[in-house]
Amino acid sequence: MNIGIDATCWWNNRGFGRFTRGLLTALFELDTHHHYTLFTDQPMADVSRFSHVTVIEVHSSRPTTEAAVADSNRSPFDMLRLYRAVAGAPLDIMYFPAVYSWFPAPLRLPTVVTVHDAIAEHYPKLIFSSWRSRFFWTLKIKLAIWNSDRILTMSEAAKEEIVEYIGARAESIDIASEAPNPLFRRTTDQVLIAAARARAGLPEAAPIIVYVGGLAPHKNLHGLLDGFERANSRGHAQEVHVALVGDFEGAGFLSNYGSLWRRVEQNPELRNRVHFTGYVSDEDLVALYSSAIAVAMPSYSEGFGLPAIEAMACATPVLSSNLGSLPEVVGDAGIYFDPFDVDAIAQSIIEIVENTGLREELSAKALARAPQFTWRRSAELTLAHLERLYES
């Protein structure tokens, strides 16, 4: 089977790109029986070691990683060039690792598109900065699903949301998984930890709670700070710092960076204890996770929740929302709370800060659970879904 793959989101620094790089690399390492043809709009040398992978670079006026964001637009001519490249290749099936970078594929070609979640449809007011961006995102989703034979997603919770909020048929949706990069393993090297903390602007020895991801409204970071303040006001967590790790911009979607920054600056209790680190390398992220008392996942919904499993691979407990996919991913390695309940968030922070025994127990459970999630497993599931469609 010659499998065509849209690789235009390979360079994306957010979850779409991490998923694409992790899955495709594992897929190429796993399977040499099929041939893979990648369609890109940028030079791509990362896969040159695989003899069963061909890269077709298609001229583009602007890279997809810049153009396919909510408040921007892709050139119809660029998408037409990609369509023609796919139509002209001897493919048996076409796969899109992210609806983010989808473009039309020939109707004769069996096609699978990955829809990671339905958060934009579930919470549109927390995602889109304008009616225009919402309209074009919705149009892209509808066209991508219409143009595809199957949908791939990453959790049962995401599947349920896609059915409820996008209107896709449950029987057309398959589930794979995500995984941490093998780099994510607990480190106790205090020199590495101190250096990573220094680069992130964090104190060397203070206990920290780490959040990793975008600063969008649906991530509920104001709720996290509400809970942190309440725990602090009750005499708990007074030595704890919070690290908000992630790009400040929203990649075309709404970002709460401005309101979060103003809130922290105007509050003496938060000013020196809540840190906006910006982007952090994976190497430094390993050190931050490994030295944290917990990673916080307070969002209203997640399609998978990759930072949770990355942290768990570093033996870090999770302070987790009880909504979306997170209970599926975190399992028994976290303390759960209703993300709409400030008292519940505060209580989870108090528990993780004060109960050393619980922290050690959750750390051990995190380390035991994390190996269940590997890119090899994700690649095996994805390949099985592709083969099943081709044979049907």
Side-chain angles (χ1 to χ4, degrees):
M1 186 167 56
N2 190 358
I3 302 171
I5 299 179
D6 164 36
T8 58
C9 61
W10 179 277
W11 298 269
N12 177 270
N13 284 327
R14 300 169 77 86
F16 298 126
R18 294 176 83 86
F19 171 78
T20 299
R21 293 186 295 274
L23 174 67
L24 296 191
T25 301
L27 194 60
F28 304 152
E29 291 173 345
L30 166 74
D31 171 51
T32 57
H33 297 94
H34 301 305
H35 188 86
Y36 295 89
T37 300
L38 307 187
F39 298 89
T40 81
D41 55 7
Q42 300 179 56
M44 188 175 191
D46 306 65
V47 297
S48 58
R49 69 184 188 276
F50 298 111
S51 61
H52 58 306
V53 176
T54 299
V55 177
I56 296 178
E57 185 179 344
V58 181
H59 171 74
S60 177
S61 60
R62 193 158 56 125
T64 298
T65 47
E66 296 177 12
V69 296
D71 63 354
S72 186
N73 60 281
R74 297 171 73 183
S75 163
F77 295 106
D78 289 346
M79 289 192 285
L80 179 60
R81 292 186 192 100
L82 286 162
Y83 172 90
R84 286 176 173 170
V86 170
L91 304 178
D92 297 304
I93 198 167
M94 183 67 189
Y95 173 54
F96 292 87
V99 72
Y100 162 91
S101 57
W102 173 85
F103 55 85
L107 292 176
R108 62 170 174 77
L109 188 62
T111 299
V112 177
V113 63
T114 300
V115 179
H116 287 269
D117 56 63
I119 296 170
E121 291 73 25
H122 191 171
Y123 297 102
K125 293 181 180 178
L126 303 183
I127 300 295
F128 298 107
S129 57
S130 69
W131 68 267
R132 180 182 179 279
S133 59
R134 180 177 178 180
F135 172 78
F136 282 108
W137 176 266
T138 301
L139 180 63
K140 178 166 68 174
I141 291 286
K142 296 293 186 183
L143 287 173
I145 290 175
W146 176 81
N147 190 219
S148 301
D149 298 273
R150 305 290 301 177
I151 297 167
L152 187 67
T153 195
M154 298 300 118
S155 66
E156 287 287 350
K159 177 178 177 177
E160 291 173 7
E161 282 202 336
I162 290 167
V163 171
E164 181 173 358
Y165 294 100
I166 296 179
R169 296 177 297 110
E171 59 270 24
S172 71
I173 304 174
D174 300 311
I175 298 174
S177 182
E178 297 188 39
N181 186 302
L183 178 68
F184 288 93
R185 294 291 181 267
R186 176 169 54 177
T187 180
T188 57
D189 188 323
Q190 295 305 310
V191 174
L192 290 178
I193 289 172
R197 283 194 173 207
R199 281 189 287 269
L202 299 172
E204 183 175 339
I208 60 171
I209 295 172
V210 175
Y211 164 83
V212 178
L215 305 185
H218 77 277
K219 296 294 188 177
N220 190 32
L221 296 180
H222 278 293
L224 175 64
L225 295 188
D226 286 340
F228 182 60
E229 282 189 278
R230 191 160 299 185
N232 189 66
S233 70
R234 293 174 180 172
H236 309 280
Q238 292 181 337
E239 303 300 320
V240 177
H241 290 240
V242 174
L244 302 180
V245 179
D247 290 333
F248 300 152
E249 299 300 324
F253 298 104
L254 288 174
S255 171
N256 265 354
Y257 170 64
S259 61
L260 289 164
W261 184 85
R262 288 190 296 273
R263 173 179 182 168
V264 169
E265 283 299 299
Q266 293 167 7
N267 186 331
E269 293 294 328
L270 299 179
R271 190 180 304 134
N272 296 317
R273 294 171 54 207
V274 176
H275 309 267
F276 298 90
T277 71
Y279 173 79
V280 167
S281 71
D282 283 353
E283 291 79 8
D284 280 1
L285 200 50
V286 168
L288 297 187
Y289 281 142
S290 297
S291 67
I293 60 173
V295 65
M297 299 289 293
S299 59
Y300 301 134
S301 183
E302 294 283 347
F304 183 82
L306 190 55
I309 199 66
E310 290 175 346
M312 289 161 61
C314 298
T316 309
V318 186
L319 298 178
S320 177
S321 163
N322 61 7
L323 300 181
S325 63
L326 290 168
E328 289 180 57
V329 175
V330 175
D332 60 358
I335 299 173
Y336 292 97
F337 53 80
D338 177 348
F340 295 97
D341 185 339
V342 175
D343 273 333
I345 298 173
Q347 187 56 40
S348 73
I349 292 172
I350 291 169
E351 283 188 64
I352 204 69
V353 169
E354 297 197 340
N355 192 334
T356 303
L358 175 62
R359 211 160 59 230
E360 292 174 349
E361 178 186 340
L362 293 176
S363 176
K365 288 179 176 179
L367 208 53
R369 183 170 176 78
Q372 297 178 29
F373 298 86
T374 67
W375 283 120
R376 180 182 178 87
R377 174 174 175 265
S378 183
E380 290 172 342
L381 290 168
T382 301
L383 183 60
H385 295 317
L386 293 174
E387 290 175 334
R388 194 175 301 118
L389 174 60
Y390 176 67
E391 293 166 1
S392 64

